[in-house]
Amino acid sequence: MTRLTSRIVIGLMLCAPVAAMAADAGFTDRIIVKYRNTSAVAATAGQATQLRGTDMPAARLGVTMSRLRATALGAQVLKVDRRLSLAEAEALARDIAASDPSVEYAEPDRILRHTLTPNDPRYNEQWHYFEAAGGINAPPAWDKSTGTGVVVAVIDTGYRPHADLAANILQGYDFISDTFVANDGNGRDTDASDPGDWINAGECGPGDPAAFEASSWHGTHVSGTIAARTNNSLGVAGIAFNARVVPARVLGKCGGFTSDIADAIVWTSGGTVSGVPANANPAKVLSISLGGSGACDATTQNAINSARSRGANVIVAAGNSNANASNFTPANCSGVVTVAAVGRNGGKASYSNFGATVEVAAPGGSGGVNSVLSTLNAGSMGPGADSYALYNGTSMATPHVSGVVALMLSVKPTLTPDQVTSILQSTARAFPATCSQCGSGIVDANAAVDAAINGAPPPPPGSAEVEPNTSRGTAQLISTANTLVNGTMSSSSDTDYYRLSLPAGRTLTATLTPNAASDYDLYVYNSNGTLIGSSERGTGLVDTVAVTNTGSGALVRYVRVRYFSGGTGATNGKYTVNMNW
């Protein structure tokens, strides 16, 4: 079996790395190179010089490169002396990897953008918390949990010290390494406050944007949904209003670089980033409302893996292109909770991405008074007075889920990321209006908190695998939803098939748990044997695949478990696979 060890993605938006060199959505001037052994860069560490294996590929393209810095996980960020189209950058990255066997992977460093499209006097406008159709059922959850003791990282544009939010803000960090993007006169520093991300016409490249765009204060809006102060007779309420927010500033003018975002993911979850002070308040929830098109790149996936290894839950926006989220990053990365958006009627918001990579949905708004209300700033360029605003987008849906996860962790801190995802999906309520391929349902804060307190309803006692089941023709029939099968990889050539009938409108979530020393892979096929979903994570890691039946009748689906490496036999080849719909 062939495995993908790195992926190339196309950013949603690219913008000027320096004021004098504007770039549009198809350009960058940075390459990320990861060497298998750090000795490959030891001789040039700390110097602005080319690294081993990069000079010939750069010369072939007619450019030179210099070393900017190392990322948190040991990759090197290289600066090219001119802007490259993404096609050129991808070709250069491939050439670098092909020219030097010590290179683990190389990829463009692209810019992603935010995905914007109680006695609190404006709480009655926050329909997204309490209305039966499109809300998250927060009020009854607040009787049991308010987020106390939980830290949530908001990886976004930074924050404004809003009077309705500031008391819940902890020390953050500004990860923006480019001074143009940063828009605050310097690079990385300990000040995560948002100076504004306004853009003049054409500042991000020819015709991008077409006209002046005011500052978004996007991170402040996201943070308010999660943790605005509540019952303070001011403004709005937050979902986890006794949680604390660590802001990581990664988005500025025209967006933010992948390498900066990845470092923020590592740091906010408690990992180490060279040159950055240790995070005194590691977060167990990372709220990431940003994205771009393309596959999940290795730099981002490695950062997510690093965060999950420390127990962090990574919650990401599905994107606002009304397209399949499998084509957008980080929505399509492994190990994240990808969030689609519903409108006030509980149906899919017109802009929301969708697809098998979406786990759940949450309120994102649908325009006007049907939008999501949260904290903001009144400045059109630099900061002005505190304000409140109605925004729409999967960016707004994501912090709803992040807030609910904070409520869950407040009552059950020992929940693992996989357990959190399982609870979110199993307790989500059915869509009251059409939301095809929007995950398991709309997040239900009260049901999720109850499940965290009482323990999620376990699957039935595991049934035994029935051999032979090595082909679709001999697949073991699974007739009951939420069935756990205890299986065995009898040999390195073994493969096991399971067959089920998936009702119309339902989502099958298959979860494969191998033994700790083994790597088995998970696939889902349609009735014709066409692959429609897969997960190929590493040794001891849980694989999950979700697929939705968008048709009008029940459809046959096949779940397959295949050996990749590790143990075999009755003792060392054990696994479980749960199939729920």
Side-chain angles (χ1 to χ4, degrees):
M1 186 193 313
T2 300
R3 279 183 181 267
L4 299 179
T5 57
S6 63
R7 301 185 177 100
I8 298 298
V9 307
I10 304 299
L12 176 64
M13 286 290 179
L14 266 270
C15 73
V18 293
M21 187 174 67
D24 62 20
F27 295 90
T28 186
D29 67 344
R30 296 186 183 189
I31 302 292
I32 301 171
V33 180
K34 176 67 168 64
Y35 290 87
R36 301 180 191 280
N37 191 318
T38 55
S39 63
V41 297
T44 58
Q47 302 175 23
T49 182
Q50 284 183 260
L51 296 174
R52 192 182 83 186
T54 65
D55 51 350
M56 288 303 295
R60 283 192 284 267
L61 192 60
V63 299
T64 60
M65 293 185 292
S66 58
R67 178 181 182 274
L68 282 179
R69 63 182 182 84
T71 69
L73 299 180
Q76 304 297 315
V77 182
L78 307 185
K79 179 79 162 58
V80 186
D81 64 349
R82 68 174 174 86
R83 72 178 187 178
L84 304 176
S85 69
L86 277 175
E88 289 176 313
E90 289 166 355
L92 175 57
R94 288 193 297 269
D95 198 2
I96 290 171
S99 298
D100 187 350
S102 69
V103 172
E104 181 177 333
Y105 65 82
E107 57 195 12
D109 189 5
R110 286 146 312 196
I111 284 183
L112 306 182
R113 283 188 173 178
H114 57 67
T115 50
L116 175 70
T117 74
N119 62 8
D120 304 81
R122 301 192 67 176
Y123 171 68
N124 65 321
E125 299 173 58
Q126 294 181 284
W127 59 268
H128 35 99
Y129 293 170
F130 56 80
E131 284 192 355
I136 63 168
N137 195 24
W142 289 333
D143 292 335
K144 306 153 194 166
S145 178
T146 59
T148 301
V150 179
V151 177
V152 181
V154 174
I155 299 173
D156 211 291
T157 65
Y159 76 101
R160 291 309 309 163
H162 196 289
D164 208 6
L165 177 64
N168 281 342
I169 299 292
L170 296 170
Q171 177 65 53
Y173 199 81
D174 180 357
F175 280 90
I176 301 177
S177 55
D178 187 276
T179 54
F180 170 80
V181 175
N183 201 33
D184 61 0
N186 55 40
R188 291 184 168 186
D189 57 42
T190 58
D191 182 6
S193 64
D194 188 351
D197 58 356
W198 77 91
I199 314 170
N200 292 314
E203 201 168 9
C204 300
D208 181 19
F212 170 80
E213 292 183 2
S215 291
S216 68
W217 314 112
H218 190 266
T220 299
H221 198 279
V222 167
S223 297
T225 297
I226 295 169
R229 299 296 291 170
T230 302
N231 288 326
N232 62 346
S233 299
L234 177 67
V236 297
I239 295 169
F241 49 83
N242 281 327
R244 298 293 184 265
V245 169
V246 168
R249 186 169 179 252
V250 298
L251 301 178
K253 290 177 76 72
C254 306
F257 279 104
T258 297
S259 56
D260 291 338
I261 295 166
D263 277 3
I265 291 171
V266 172
W267 183 83
T268 55
S269 62
T272 301
V273 178
S274 179
V276 179
N279 178 10
N281 301 287
K284 289 301 183 185
V285 188
L286 312 187
S287 193
I288 306 177
S289 291
L290 51 81
S293 61
C296 179
D297 55 272
T299 299
T300 301
Q301 186 63 66
N302 289 344
I304 291 167
N305 294 347
S306 175
R308 281 177 54 89
S309 75
R310 288 180 287 277
N313 298 270
V314 185
I315 318 298
V316 305
N320 297 338
S321 300
N322 188 29
N324 197 311
S326 64
N327 297 318
F328 294 81
T329 183
N332 55 13
C333 293
S334 298
V336 303
V337 176
T338 299
V339 183
V342 295
R344 195 166 184 170
N345 69 344
K348 189 181 90 69
S350 61
Y351 52 79
S352 179
N353 286 353
F354 52 85
T357 62
V358 174
E359 273 70 41
V360 290
S366 52
V369 297
N370 300 322
S371 304
V372 172
L373 181 66
S374 187
T375 49
L376 210 73
N377 188 275
S380 63
M381 296 177 69
D386 290 351
S387 68
Y388 300 89
L390 293 157
Y391 273 5
N392 301 288
T394 55
S395 279
M396 285 58 256
T398 301
H400 281 80
V401 178
S402 301
V404 171
V405 174
L407 297 179
M408 294 164 60
L409 292 175
S410 183
V411 296
K412 190 68 174 293
T414 58
L415 289 173
T416 68
D418 287 333
Q419 288 172 328
V420 166
T421 302
S422 177
I423 289 174
L424 288 172
Q425 292 187 294
S426 64
T427 60
R429 62 183 178 82
F431 297 105
T434 302
C435 198
S436 178
Q437 300 185 70
C438 294
S440 299
I442 300 173
V443 163
D444 186 319
N446 186 54
V449 169
D450 281 346
I453 293 171
N454 301 318
S463 58
E465 175 194 357
V466 178
E467 297 277 9
N469 62 341
T470 56
S471 67
R472 286 190 293 121
T474 59
Q476 180 177 340
L477 177 63
I478 305 298
S479 57
T480 304
N482 203 21
T483 293
L484 180 72
V485 175
N486 296 308
T488 301
M489 287 283 102
S490 59
S491 69
S492 60
S493 60
D494 195 10
T495 187
D496 296 331
Y497 281 87
Y498 303 92
R499 176 171 60 89
L500 57 94
S501 178
L502 183 62
R506 301 297 295 272
T507 296
L508 163 67
T509 301
T511 305
L512 166 65
T513 304
N515 60 79
S518 299
D519 180 0
Y520 309 144
D521 295 324
L522 181 66
Y523 306 92
V524 177
Y525 301 87
N526 66 15
S527 58
N528 297 320
T530 301
L531 181 67
I532 58 175
S534 65
S535 179
E536 299 177 335
R537 302 186 69 207
T539 300
L541 298 179
V542 175
D543 287 291
T544 301
V545 175
V547 295
T548 302
N549 178 1
T550 60
S552 58
L555 296 172
V556 172
R557 293 292 180 256
Y558 293 92
V559 175
R560 180 189 186 191
V561 179
R562 182 175 179 179
Y563 177 92
F564 183 77
S565 66
T568 60
T571 300
N572 299 321
K574 293 180 179 179
Y575 69 84
T576 63
V577 59
N578 187 57
M579 289 157 278
N580 194 18
W581 61 89

